[in-house]
Structures are given as structure tokens and as C-alpha cells.
Amino acid sequence: MRVMIAPDSFGNTLSANEAADAIARGWRLGRPEDELVLAPQSDGGPGFVDVLAGKRGEVRELDVYGPLGKRVRARWLLDGHTAFIEVAQACGLSLLDGPPTTSSASRSSSDGVGQLIDAALGVDGIETVFVGLGGSSCTDGGRGMIRALGGLADAAARLRSVELVAATDVENPLLGEHGAAHVFGAQKGADAAMVDVLEELNREWAVILERVAGVDVAELPGAGAAGGIGAALFALGGRRESGAAVVAELTDQADLLESVDLVITGEGKFDSQSLRGKLVTQLASAGAISGAQTIVLAGQVALETAQWKAAGLSRAYSVAEFAGSVDKAMSDAGPQLEHLAAYAARRFDQGTPPLRGGL
């Protein structure tokens, strides 16, 4: 078979490129006769820049303020008159000093994202700026980003002649039970009391953004992406595009799908969020159109078989189930994913589900 290996990143454990390499190593052990095409993907979150950097443009680096104020080295991509910026490079969860806490949830900011946009705006002839949203440690609604751009008025003026695109597959609004604080606050370390604080701060910020934008950007789909950075981008005149679709177009995904028999994709947690148009299910839909089967190797699978089959997947495998625990799946992520890929390859023609532990 000709096999396309196209995973997203696995949270903070493996980048999309690392995951693709691990799956390829394992699949070759199980089915050495198959032809493999590595095509790591991103939905705008961690890995957005690195995935695109393998296909086009020039990678640039800049020292910016990290989420807690310490300087970090961030990468962005310049491709002609277009810049690609990744929020996670400047304020990602992986840039915290350790696991997220209530303190980091309250202090993390997006200043570094503004510094990256500022660098892109300093390029002669820049026409379009894509900002990949996802994996942030902050829930500041983009306040820090706006601050680094000189404030709302200056930022809006500087971006008036630039096409600004928020690349995200998250549809959540800024506020409410489906908003940035309530849905994503816990994974950034916020407890229930801090979630309420962050919600109120963003409610006040939304009023200010609305004055500038002339519309209630807080309610727009994607406004809650990356801790509310989406809302700030919309207030500055930005529009939303699917991050997975942006990467698919720029990496010639459609042409690749037409040439393969099987697609192997993956992500950190395959759950109900994955079914809402995220990368894994988009690939399954696209693969079905071209006649390719799609299987997923995920860190964890939190869906019933009927759910992932309805999404067009032929099989779903869990690294945590295979390794015997979530802890082992995360601490030994690369080797465990490789072993699971080998297991899945050897049993591909048998249709056997994965067993717990061991090859």
C-alpha cells in the first residue's frame, strides 16, 4: 500500500513531525513493503510553523516575552509577502516553568504574540499575516498581544492594510459556558474560582473590543480560541479560517490523498472535540472522498466505537491503552507510539483491535 502518515501534534509530548517519524518507524517494522509518505499536519495549534516550514518559506527567529515574562526564542515563517505566526511559540503551555497552576493561569499573557506580529509588520511589502491559534497557556483575551502592538488604536491602524487571518478549528466564543475560560481554563491550570475571575476579566475586555470593532466580537465563532486571542484578532479586522484547511492547502494534502490507499493520523486526545471539524475527522472525510481508509493512533481515545466509525474512521487505537497507563504513554511517548504503529501495521489486514500492553 501507499500510506500517508499525517498526525497532528500530541499535546506537549510530541510535535506533529516527531509523531509522524515515530509512526513511520513502527509501520515499517510491521509492513516493510508499504510506501510511506510523511505529511505531518496542524490545525493552527502547536506545530503550525514547523509543519509549514517543511514545505515553504523562510524560518525566522525572535526573542520575545514568554507567557510569564521570561524571554523565549520563538519561530515564525515568512513566505514572500505572507507571514505565519504560531501562538504556542510565544505563550504555549510548554513554555511554562512546569505544569500549569492557578498562579500561571492568572499571570500568563500573550505579549510575545504581539511581538511576533510586530516583527511581521516590519517586513517590507507584507500583505497577509496568519496567526495559528491553539495550545496557549493564557486566557487574557489577547490583551498582552494588543499591548505589545502599541494599544488598540495603534494596532488597528497598523493592521488596516494587512489581511489578518486567525487560523483555528476551535469554534468557541469568548464568553459563557462554551467560552475560553469555562472550556479551556482548567487545562491551563485554573480552578473554579479562577475560571470565574478570568471570565469576568474577559467580559470587561469584550466591551472595550466591541467599541473598537463596532461589533460584538466576543460572540463570533473562534473568539475563544487560544484563551481569547481570537476575539482580539477579530477586533483588529481579522477573519477566521480553519487551521487544518490552511495547512492542507499549503501542503498539497488533496493531491496526496488522491495517491494513497491509507491515511494514518493522530493527536493527543481523540474525544468529542475531535468530532467538531478538527484535523482527524477532516482527514477522514477527505480520505473517504478519495477512496482512502483512515485510522487514528491517539494518546487517548475517549469515544465509543460507534462515534468514531460514524466520523469515517476504520480503526482507532489508544497509546495509553496499549502502554498500560496514561503516565507511561506520556513519559515514553515516542517509543510507545512507534510500538503501537507496528502493532497496528501487523494486524491491519486482520481487523484486530489493540490489546493492553506489549506487542
Side-chain angles (χ1 to χ4, degrees):
M1 294 189 301
R2 182 171 162 87
V3 182
M4 176 179 173
I5 299 179
D8 199 349
S9 63
F10 277 55
N12 294 320
T13 58
L14 294 170
S15 70
N17 290 332
E18 290 168 339
D21 288 341
I23 293 170
R25 287 194 300 271
W27 197 264
R28 286 192 184 101
L29 290 174
R31 292 178 60 95
E33 72 280 7
D34 286 349
E35 178 187 356
L36 307 185
V37 181
L38 274 64
Q41 300 291 307
S42 171
D43 61 4
F48 182 61
V49 165
D50 286 341
V51 164
L52 292 177
K55 300 290 184 179
R56 61 203 305 131
E58 168 199 352
V59 174
R60 297 196 172 189
E61 296 189 346
L62 183 70
D63 285 330
V64 301
Y65 288 116
L68 300 179
K70 185 169 66 176
R71 305 289 287 193
V72 298
R73 193 74 170 167
R75 291 156 55 90
W76 62 285
L77 188 68
L78 180 63
D79 184 24
H81 302 296
T82 302
F84 297 91
I85 287 164
E86 178 188 319
V87 161
Q89 288 278 333
C91 61
L93 281 164
S94 63
L95 299 177
L96 297 175
D97 296 329
T101 63
T102 300
S103 174
S104 67
S106 68
R107 294 165 49 217
S108 293
S109 72
S110 57
D111 293 72
V113 179
Q115 291 176 293
L116 289 172
I117 295 175
D118 178 69
L121 293 177
V123 175
D124 255 359
I126 196 72
E127 296 174 356
T128 308
V129 177
F130 284 86
V131 183
L133 302 181
S136 78
S137 61
C138 63
T139 313
D140 72 346
R143 280 184 188 83
M145 178 187 77
I146 296 291
R147 180 168 53 239
L149 286 167
L152 271 170
D154 283 353
R158 295 181 66 193
L159 286 159
R160 194 166 291 129
S161 60
V162 174
E163 184 180 15
L164 183 63
V165 182
T168 180
D169 288 337
V170 169
E171 300 176 347
N172 303 69
L174 178 64
L175 305 173
E177 62 177 324
H178 300 297
H182 283 285
V183 174
F184 305 112
Q187 72 186 39
K188 303 175 198 293
D191 59 16
M194 181 52 60
V195 164
D196 289 340
V197 170
L198 295 171
E199 174 77 4
E200 185 54 35
L201 288 171
N202 277 340
R203 190 175 302 281
E204 295 169 0
W205 178 235
V207 173
I208 298 171
L209 292 177
E210 184 174 355
R211 286 190 202 133
V212 173
V215 295
D216 182 7
V217 296
E219 295 301 317
L220 295 178
I229 292 175
L233 292 174
F234 297 153
L236 297 175
R239 60 180 174 82
R240 176 176 172 261
E241 282 191 21
S242 159
V246 168
V247 171
E249 180 180 352
L250 295 173
T251 58
D252 301 317
Q253 185 190 102
D255 290 341
L256 276 177
L257 285 170
E258 289 292 335
S259 72
V260 300
D261 307 294
L262 174 68
V263 178
I264 304 174
T265 186
E267 61 182 343
K269 191 169 186 179
F270 185 42
D271 58 14
S272 58
Q273 286 286 326
S274 307
L275 301 180
R276 300 181 64 183
K278 291 192 75 176
L279 174 66
V280 168
T281 48
Q282 284 197 27
L283 269 173
S285 298
I289 293 170
S290 65
Q293 291 187 60
T294 303
I295 67 175
V296 61
L297 308 180
Q300 298 177 63
V301 176
L303 294 172
E304 299 296 328
T305 301
Q307 290 176 292
W308 53 256
K309 281 192 172 180
L313 291 154
S314 60
R315 269 160 242 177
Y317 295 88
S318 164
V319 180
E321 182 180 353
F322 181 83
S325 72
V326 173
D327 285 345
K328 187 171 183 180
M330 294 182 71
S331 64
D332 193 35
Q336 291 300 320
L337 180 57
E338 177 182 338
H339 295 330
L340 178 57
Y343 180 95
R346 288 172 182 144
R347 287 153 182 79
F348 179 76
D349 294 321
Q350 303 172 19
T352 307
L355 302 174
R356 184 177 299 279
L359 281 176

